[in-house]
């Protein structure tokens, strides 16, 4: 998941960035003011989440929200609770008081994941009930030399990101660049077959031969021994429920 932090205290912003990165977020920017935030959102695609302090050096954050319709989940992070009611008028999904309590951040992430799973389950049930055509993406066109090559999803060991690009690893141990982010792929692939184990990997269940659980949970995928498939700590419970189906 991608995130932007709007925080005028740079050391606090850096600490929060480290905390989010440990939760598998990719922090795109730390913005210290209303002016810098307005400029950034006008020039860039909006992230999955915006963590926004209310009182900034050149005004409060509502100046930003009144001028730009941010297409992200908004979480307010502030030392002042008197703005809570007004904050939720801007469709915030949570309100975290500073200093940020890691357990409350975990609850916010879990709440979001639960809502997302609930919506996905409702949609999948409707698809089954109405017996309509499967809408999951089952093939991909990739560039192979001077040709285009079609890869079926059952041939894919995993999708992975590296250096701000995304790739397919096939069961022929070949890698191809793909013009999709992992966030986008996660929404398009069959969730019965593919799982996002961390911010870098989306794996195909059929190629997992075993699980190794010591200090961390690692997937054993014989055809991709060059990679370390470590399940994010926050996703282990959901992964195990998915894997045993």
């Amino acid at each position: 998941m991608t995130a932007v932090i709007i925080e005028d205290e740079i050391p606090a912003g850096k600490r929060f960035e480290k905390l989010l990165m440990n939760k598998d977020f990719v922090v795109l920017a730390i913005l210290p003011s209303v002016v810098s935030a307005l400029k950034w959102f006008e020039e860039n695609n909006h992230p999955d989440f915006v963590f926004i302090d209310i009182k900034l050096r050149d005004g409060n954050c509502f100046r930003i929200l009144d001028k730009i319709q941010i297409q992200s989940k908004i979480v307010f992070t502030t030392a002042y609770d008197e703005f809570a009611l007004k904050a939720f008028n801007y469709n915030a999904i949570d309100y975290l008081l500073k200093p940020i309590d890691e357990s409350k951040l975990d609850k916010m992430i879990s709440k979001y994941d639960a809502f997302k799973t609930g919506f996905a389950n409702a949609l999948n049930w409707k698809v089954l009930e109405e017996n309509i055509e499967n809408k999951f993406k089952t093939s991909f066109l990739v560039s192979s030399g001077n040709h285009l090559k079609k890869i079926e999803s059952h041939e894919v060991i995993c999708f992975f990101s590296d250096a701000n690009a995304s790739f397919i690893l096939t069961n022929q141990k070949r890698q191809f660049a793909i013009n999709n982010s992992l966030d986008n792929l996660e929404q398009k692939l069959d969730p019965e077959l593919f799982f996002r184990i961390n911010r870098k990997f989306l794996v195909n269940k059929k190629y997992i031969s075993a699980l190794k659980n010591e200090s961390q949970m690692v997937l054993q995928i014989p055809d991709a021994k060059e990679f370390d498939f470590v399940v994010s700590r926050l996703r282990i419970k959901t992964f195990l429920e998915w894997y045993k189906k």
Side-chain angles (χ1 to χ4, degrees):
M1 293 182 288
T2 56
V4 162
I5 299 169
I6 302 178
E7 168 62 67
D8 61 350
E9 296 177 11
I10 300 303
K14 289 291 186 183
R15 286 194 297 271
F16 192 42
E17 179 186 33
K18 185 176 180 180
L19 181 59
L20 288 176
M21 290 174 66
N22 289 337
K23 309 298 180 185
D24 292 328
F25 282 82
V26 177
V27 177
L28 303 178
I30 301 175
L31 307 171
S33 65
V34 171
V35 171
S36 63
L38 288 172
K39 187 174 188 298
W40 193 94
F41 281 100
E42 287 173 350
E43 297 176 351
N44 296 274
N45 292 328
H46 295 192
D48 297 311
F49 284 83
V50 174
F51 295 88
I52 183 169
D53 194 1
I54 289 180
K55 289 188 175 181
L56 301 169
R57 65 180 62 171
D58 56 347
N60 67 52
C61 70
F62 302 116
R63 288 177 54 197
I64 303 168
L65 300 175
D66 287 336
K67 290 186 177 181
I68 293 180
Q69 187 173 359
I70 295 178
Q71 305 298 319
S72 311
K73 275 72 71 177
I74 298 173
V75 179
F76 289 92
T77 61
T78 181
Y80 307 94
D81 60 4
E82 68 264 31
F83 292 101
L85 184 59
K86 184 174 182 179
F88 282 104
N89 289 333
Y90 289 87
N91 297 321
I93 67 168
D94 215 332
Y95 190 102
L96 301 176
L97 287 175
K98 295 194 293 186
I100 303 299
D101 185 323
E102 184 175 357
S103 65
K104 291 183 178 179
L105 176 61
D106 287 343
K107 286 181 180 179
M108 184 279 294
I109 296 170
S110 297
K111 180 172 69 174
Y112 170 70
D113 285 340
F115 283 142
K116 186 169 66 172
T117 301
F119 293 145
N121 287 343
L123 178 60
N124 292 342
W125 175 254
K126 183 178 179 181
V127 169
L128 291 171
E129 187 175 54
E130 296 179 359
N131 195 28
I132 63 175
E133 182 182 0
N134 188 348
K135 300 297 183 182
F136 297 124
K137 192 168 181 62
T138 58
S139 64
F140 302 85
L141 281 178
V142 298
S143 177
S144 178
N146 295 324
H147 302 87
L148 291 177
K149 178 179 175 64
K150 183 178 181 181
I151 298 175
E152 302 290 342
S153 60
H154 65 81
E155 301 176 87
V156 178
I157 293 175
C158 70
F159 298 89
F160 67 96
S161 63
D162 185 43
N164 295 319
S166 299
F167 300 87
I168 289 176
L169 175 66
T170 74
N171 56 10
Q172 300 298 313
K173 299 185 179 181
R174 298 188 63 189
Q175 297 180 17
F176 300 94
I178 184 171
N179 190 27
N180 276 279
S181 69
L182 294 194
D183 288 340
N184 184 263
L185 288 167
E186 191 176 8
Q187 303 302 316
K188 293 181 177 181
L189 294 166
D190 185 349
E192 296 296 319
L193 297 177
F194 289 90
F195 189 91
R196 181 83 173 270
I197 61 169
N198 55 41
R199 61 188 177 89
K200 185 173 181 178
F201 290 105
L202 256 169
V203 299
N204 188 336
K205 181 188 290 185
K206 67 178 287 188
Y207 294 100
I208 302 173
S209 63
L211 307 180
K212 183 179 179 182
N213 190 9
E214 295 179 350
S215 60
Q216 54 190 0
M217 180 166 288
V218 181
L219 310 185
Q220 303 296 303
I221 301 181
D223 291 331
K225 292 181 179 179
E226 67 271 32
F227 294 113
D228 294 322
F229 295 101
V230 179
V231 182
S232 167
R233 179 174 57 85
L234 288 176
R235 302 184 187 190
I236 289 176
K237 182 179 178 181
T238 308
F239 169 80
L240 289 173
E241 291 173 352
W242 167 82
Y243 186 65
K244 70 184 180 182
K245 290 180 181 178

